[in-house]
Amino acid sequence: MSKIIASAGIRGAHRIVEQAHKKFDEALDKFGGNHEVAFPNTGYYLPVIYGILGYPVKKIDDIGWVLNRCDALLPPLVKENHYLPYLGPALDAGMATFFAEECIEAIRYIEDPDYYQPGEEPSEERLWLGAADDVILRKRGVEFVDGTAPGFAAILGAAPDIETAKKISIQLQERNLYVFMSSHSTDGKTFSEQLKEADVQIGWPTRLVPFGYDVSATVFAAGFATRAALSFGGIEPGDFRKILIYNKDRIFAFALTFGQVTDEWYANGLGAVNYGFPVIADTPIPQILPTGVCTYEHVVSDIPHEEMVEKAAEVRGLKVTIDKVPIPLTYGPAFEGERVRKGDVFLEMGGGRTLAVEYVTSVEMDQLKDGNIEVVGPDIKDIKEGDKLPLAIRVEVAGRKMQADFEPILERQIHHLVNYAQGLMHIGQRDITWIRVSKSAVEKGFTLADIGKILHAKLHGDFGTIFDKLQVKLYTKEEDVQEHLKIARGLYRQRDERIEGMTDEDVDLFYSCTLCQSFAPNHVCVVTPERTGLCGAYSWLDCRASNEINPTGPNQPIEKGEIIDPVLGQWTGVNEFVFKASRGNIEKYSAYSILNEPMTSCGCFECIAAVAPMCNGVMTVDRDFNGMTPAGMKFTTLAGTVGGGLITPGFVGHSKLYISSKKFLKAEGGLKRLVWMPKHLKEEIRERFEKRAAEEGIPDLLDRIADETVGTTEEEIYPFLEEKKHPALTMDPIM
Ligand code: SF4
Ligand code: ZN
């Protein structure tokens, strides 16, 4: 351990803890010890403190306790030339730094509630996002578990110029890393502002996260890492060894510092080293090279800007294959969330402005040439900025193992595969596709054939086992698009009918999905023809196809066995499977009930239903509705209460499609129990819902269901239900 770093870091830690004491004293005076303290929308309190110490900070007084711990942890100041024989004291100083910084930031949330812009993206006025809430953690954390994101880079300071900032951020995005930005440089500049100035889209969707202006905002990165270990690693709060080891082994993170490294930065660097995260600096600071806590070196300095990212990857032992597709655009999952704004559009296709359609279809082996890409009709060179074109994308596949059931699975990839290209935006699917091509993509040489090249390269890479050859044809003439629209709609209809006509009684096999066990270890979705997986992404046919593609994968066939109860939806085979797949934690569950042993809920349900006892019914709310619901909780709180792979009678996660299934909460009386749901959800599912309601003999049921415009408590909606003669009010008591 370099003595200079140790002494500077310990000095910095002392200063940060001192600052926290000052903030604490002021807050105590101003708000009193009982005033509530929290980061927004989280069940993890102040996460580093909660994870490492097992101590939930709930009020200002609790901060006093934490600061006492910091004082005890802080090693005495070391003289400049004093030799520290081992890392211990310096690492303690690093931990104390993080605890103190969390206290500082928590007090900021009380003092200046508008300082941070909560949510995914900064607004025009407010750049800093602050601590990630649990919804963001769940959504993004999964990517750390499933490998879509190997880790993150914490950036402190500001690049020497905007161009360098932009280059480095792209290099990090290409490696699929998240970029957590905090701390201004000594001259007050920040990396986040540089990216913003360069017109780079920042926020969680593009993985470039502006946490905060001050150095203390660095702790939000440590908090994210700590929560990842707690929620995805299933580690108990307070088990600090496991948390640090989880991060060292599982999260490929490192810090990049730009410009003069202050004592406070050193202190944060020491904190990072605890987690096994090395620090790479662009300035000549003393290095800590021996391996130990980190995979390789702890601090590597004086690295030229062009080499920083590569060096960091090497030091952290990060092996990433950059997605190479033969197109002139940068490509990777980090660009999936990037939008092409109106002013940046060169070409637009679909989205209601022109006709657009995309589909995958099988052809005979001798009818296609693998890798063949054709563009029929005007391309980029034939149009001018701001033009619109109709578009049909026809992907033809052939192979001995190819089946019609695989087509929709391949088709569903088009959305994210096209989105991964920087400068392209893809929304929707099937015949509601909408593609925007940005000016910068065109400047880099993009042509429509590149969409075909992307699909060819990526589909081969990911699904090469199920087909042998693939070619893509793109049509941009109105009459051609019309023709392909007709063909595609025919295919869609066939597919929909295949599943719509099927009932749970028709089949002997259901399918499991255990994809979500990575973060909800007991969770099993049992997918039946009439009940899709609760995330909405897996239908019975999808699971069957996926099982054929990958027989040892997360979708396994389940023999139904004997029927135990047709109303609840319980079968011997299903219960046996669930018991095994949950490692003995779940004995049995019902497919069609919300009250009687409902299915487990992981965390990615499209909707969550809850019993509304006063209205003798059930309400449901989807992920996009962030207001209050009659259950007395918002979606996020409901999700936090019910998710995690537990059975919670009275609550159940489900897909949107399931609402209009004949088996929807059949045990409680089905569709007629539904008394409240968000207005936009009503509109989204109206067509299918009305068809089902008509079968139930109440064609106008949807309009008798309350929504947020009627009220958001049971008391508020009850009179409306009475007035509309909602059927739930006269049904048997639900509880
Ligand atoms: Fe699979 Fe269910 Fe998770 Fe969807 S929610 S991915 S169906 S386990
Ligand atoms: Zn899930």
Side-chain angles (χ1 to χ4, degrees):
M1 167 109 226
S2 155
K3 49 197 172 187
I4 302 181
I5 292 201
S7 58
I10 292 171
R11 207 160 53 224
H14 273 269
R15 238 181 266 152
I16 290 168
V17 173
E18 206 174 293
Q19 194 200 342
H21 270 293
K22 201 168 142 257
K23 285 262 151 213
F24 167 64
D25 293 340
E26 286 168 14
L28 200 59
D29 267 357
K30 207 157 143 200
F31 305 101
N34 265 326
H35 195 286
E36 204 182 303
V37 173
F39 286 167
N41 294 320
T42 176
Y44 296 95
Y45 308 96
L46 307 189
V48 177
I49 295 167
Y50 186 55
I52 302 293
L53 299 176
Y55 184 75
V57 172
K58 296 177 184 169
K59 48 187 175 45
I60 289 182
D61 272 340
D62 299 338
I63 289 181
W65 184 90
V66 175
L67 293 179
N68 283 338
R69 289 298 298 258
C70 291
D71 294 340
L73 271 175
L74 273 183
L77 285 168
V78 196
K79 288 217 188 67
E80 207 68 61
N81 49 9
H82 180 84
Y83 181 63
L84 259 186
Y86 59 99
L87 266 176
L91 292 181
D92 286 348
M95 252 11 278
T97 300
F98 281 164
F99 298 156
E101 285 180 337
E102 263 187 351
C103 296
I104 293 170
E105 291 296 340
I107 293 171
R108 191 202 303 274
Y109 272 102
I110 310 175
E111 281 182 334
D112 191 355
D114 294 332
Y115 182 86
Y116 289 117
Q117 160 87 25
E120 294 239 318
E121 283 169 274
S123 66
E124 267 311 307
E125 313 80 59
R126 261 176 267 137
L127 179 62
W128 307 113
L129 295 176
D133 66 23
D134 284 355
V135 179
I136 292 175
L137 174 82
R138 197 170 290 122
K139 190 158 141 206
R140 307 289 165 182
V142 174
E143 299 176 348
F144 288 76
V145 179
D146 71 15
T148 342
F152 64 81
I155 288 188
L156 286 82
D161 53 75
I162 292 178
E163 271 313 305
T164 310
K166 203 169 152 182
K167 254 190 231 146
I168 286 179
S169 73
I170 288 188
Q171 288 176 355
L172 292 166
Q173 284 176 305
E174 274 183 335
R175 283 168 175 78
N176 307 333
L177 294 159
Y178 276 83
V179 182
F180 293 160
M181 298 173 279
S182 62
S183 193
H184 56 87
S185 62
T186 38
D187 56 358
K189 292 199 184 115
T190 64
F191 208 89
S192 308
E193 285 158 322
Q194 289 179 322
L195 292 184
K196 199 176 167 199
E197 220 171 297
D199 234 357
V200 174
Q201 276 173 39
I202 53 180
W204 286 95
T206 50
R207 305 193 176 186
L208 304 171
V209 184
F211 269 145
Y213 180 78
D214 289 334
V215 64
S216 49
T218 310
V219 80
F220 294 136
F224 190 88
T226 307
R227 286 153 75 193
L230 291 173
S231 70
F232 302 112
I235 301 171
E236 291 295 315
D239 196 345
F240 65 92
R241 280 191 63 84
K242 279 205 188 134
I243 290 174
L244 299 179
I245 289 171
Y246 180 93
N247 273 285
K248 172 173 168 283
D249 294 345
R250 299 281 300 266
I251 310 280
F252 289 91
F254 49 85
L256 298 179
T257 67
F258 292 89
Q260 192 200 320
V261 177
T262 67
D263 289 354
E264 285 82 356
W265 287 17
Y266 276 119
N268 275 278
L270 295 177
V273 172
N274 276 296
Y275 286 75
F277 303 157
V279 181
I280 317 296
D282 67 343
T283 47
I285 61 169
Q287 315 209 84
I288 312 181
L289 296 178
T291 69
V293 185
C294 301
T295 305
Y296 302 100
E297 299 87 346
H298 305 315
V299 176
V300 186
S301 74
D302 207 10
I303 303 298
H305 294 121
E306 311 78 67
E307 291 164 30
M308 275 180 97
V309 173
E310 231 187 285
K311 187 74 194 170
E314 177 196 312
V315 169
R316 187 61 181 96
L318 173 68
K319 286 184 202 65
V320 212
T321 41
I322 301 178
D323 284 313
K324 275 288 171 224
V325 287
I327 57 166
L329 309 178
T330 315
Y331 192 85
F335 303 101
E336 184 178 6
E338 164 217 42
R339 277 157 309 151
V340 176
R341 295 197 193 92
K342 233 183 184 164
D344 302 331
V345 179
F346 185 89
L347 163 66
E348 195 157 25
M349 298 170 285
R353 291 147 180 90
T354 63
L355 290 179
V357 59
E358 63 192 25
Y359 67 107
V360 174
T361 186
S362 313
V363 298
E364 293 300 324
M365 276 289 233
D366 55 2
Q367 288 176 350
L368 81 172
K369 200 169 137 263
D370 184 51
N372 177 42
I373 318 261
E374 285 170 44
V375 177
V376 184
D379 200 337
I380 301 290
K381 63 175 186 345
D382 309 308
I383 58 166
K384 56 179 195 325
E385 186 183 315
D387 279 356
K388 298 180 188 359
L389 284 175
L391 175 72
I393 304 176
R394 175 183 164 97
V395 180
E396 297 176 337
V397 286
R400 268 161 293 119
K401 293 204 190 127
M402 190 60 205
Q403 310 180 5
D405 282 346
F406 300 162
E407 291 167 7
I409 296 189
L410 297 177
E411 196 176 285
R412 210 172 316 138
Q413 314 300 320
I414 298 176
H415 167 68
H416 72 266
L417 292 181
V418 173
N419 247 333
Y420 280 7
Q422 194 186 21
L424 299 191
M425 183 179 83
H426 184 290
I427 290 177
Q429 15 60 36
R430 288 190 169 186
D431 55 357
I432 54 167
T433 292
W434 177 17
I435 296 179
R436 273 182 169 176
V437 179
S438 73
K439 291 178 202 162
S440 66
V442 172
E443 272 160 31
K444 287 183 188 133
F446 169 85
T447 68
L448 289 177
D450 290 329
I451 292 180
K453 289 183 193 162
I454 292 171
L455 297 176
H456 176 258
K458 295 298 292 177
L459 287 174
H460 252 303
D462 298 344
F463 294 90
T465 51
I466 59 168
F467 63 84
D468 302 319
K469 294 189 197 171
L470 181 146
Q471 70 176 18
V472 184
K473 295 176 179 164
L474 299 113
Y475 301 88
T476 56
K477 282 192 286 203
E478 183 81 18
E479 63 273 21
D480 291 339
V481 175
Q482 288 281 9
E483 187 193 322
H484 285 280
L485 201 55
K486 226 184 272 156
I487 301 172
R489 283 185 178 148
L491 285 173
Y492 302 151
R493 203 172 318 116
Q494 281 173 20
R495 283 183 204 160
D496 291 346
E497 280 163 5
R498 255 199 322 261
I499 185 85
E500 262 168 30
M502 286 176 65
T503 68
D504 291 358
E505 290 76 25
D506 285 345
V507 298
D508 294 324
L509 289 182
F510 293 156
Y511 285 90
S512 66
C513 186
T514 46
L515 261 183
C516 290
Q517 288 201 342
S518 52
F519 59 94
N522 299 333
H523 176 69
V524 192
C525 271
V526 171
V527 181
T528 78
E530 292 178 273
R531 195 185 199 280
T532 47
L534 45 80
C535 60
Y538 286 83
S539 74
W540 185 87
L541 283 175
D542 295 332
C543 289
R544 188 177 70 173
S546 137
N547 178 253
E548 271 175 66
I549 294 167
N550 178 8
T552 55
N555 303 112
Q556 293 297 315
I558 305 176
E559 298 261 6
K560 270 161 57 177
E562 299 298 314
I563 187 138
I564 300 171
D565 190 324
V567 179
L568 289 176
Q570 280 205 19
W571 300 263
T572 51
V574 172
N575 285 346
E576 279 159 31
F577 185 95
V578 169
F579 185 72
K580 243 193 292 156
S582 68
R583 285 169 225 87
N585 284 300
I586 310 285
E587 232 167 86
K588 52 179 178 173
Y589 65 39
S590 317
Y592 313 145
S593 177
I594 187 172
L595 279 166
N596 201 321
E597 286 146 338
M599 278 201 189
T600 53
S601 299
C602 48
C604 26
F605 27 75
E606 282 187 297
C607 306
I608 185 147
V611 168
M614 186 185 149
C615 301
N616 201 32
V618 169
M619 57 143 276
T620 194
V621 56
D622 65 305
R623 196 170 281 280
D624 289 331
F625 183 73
N626 30 26
M628 190 42 91
T629 77
M633 289 180 263
K634 296 181 181 178
F635 180 89
T636 47
T637 324
L638 276 166
T641 319
V642 179
L646 305 173
I647 287 183
T648 319
F651 300 88
V652 73
H654 62 85
S655 68
K656 291 177 182 170
L657 204 64
Y658 179 57
I659 302 175
S660 44
S661 157
K662 283 197 178 110
K663 299 293 186 333
F664 178 69
L665 306 186
K666 188 177 163 203
E668 283 75 33
L671 205 60
K672 288 183 285 192
R673 283 285 185 194
L674 207 48
V675 293
W676 188 94
M677 68 175 136
K679 197 171 163 64
H680 72 116
L681 179 60
K682 278 186 181 172
E683 294 319 315
E684 194 180 326
I685 64 170
R686 181 172 284 275
E687 206 184 313
R688 297 175 55 94
F689 189 102
E690 288 184 338
K691 224 165 101 194
R692 266 290 298 137
E695 288 169 10
E696 292 281 319
I698 321 170
D700 64 341
L701 179 60
L702 194 60
D703 298 318
R704 301 198 207 174
I705 295 176
D707 56 38
E708 71 276 15
T709 62
V710 176
T712 52
T713 63
E714 287 203 65
E715 287 78 9
E716 280 169 11
I717 65 170
Y718 192 87
F720 172 88
L721 301 173
E722 258 189 329
E723 182 203 316
K724 297 277 176 192
K725 299 201 170 41
H726 191 290
L729 299 184
T730 52
M731 288 167 82
D732 289 342
I734 190 163
M735 289 172 78

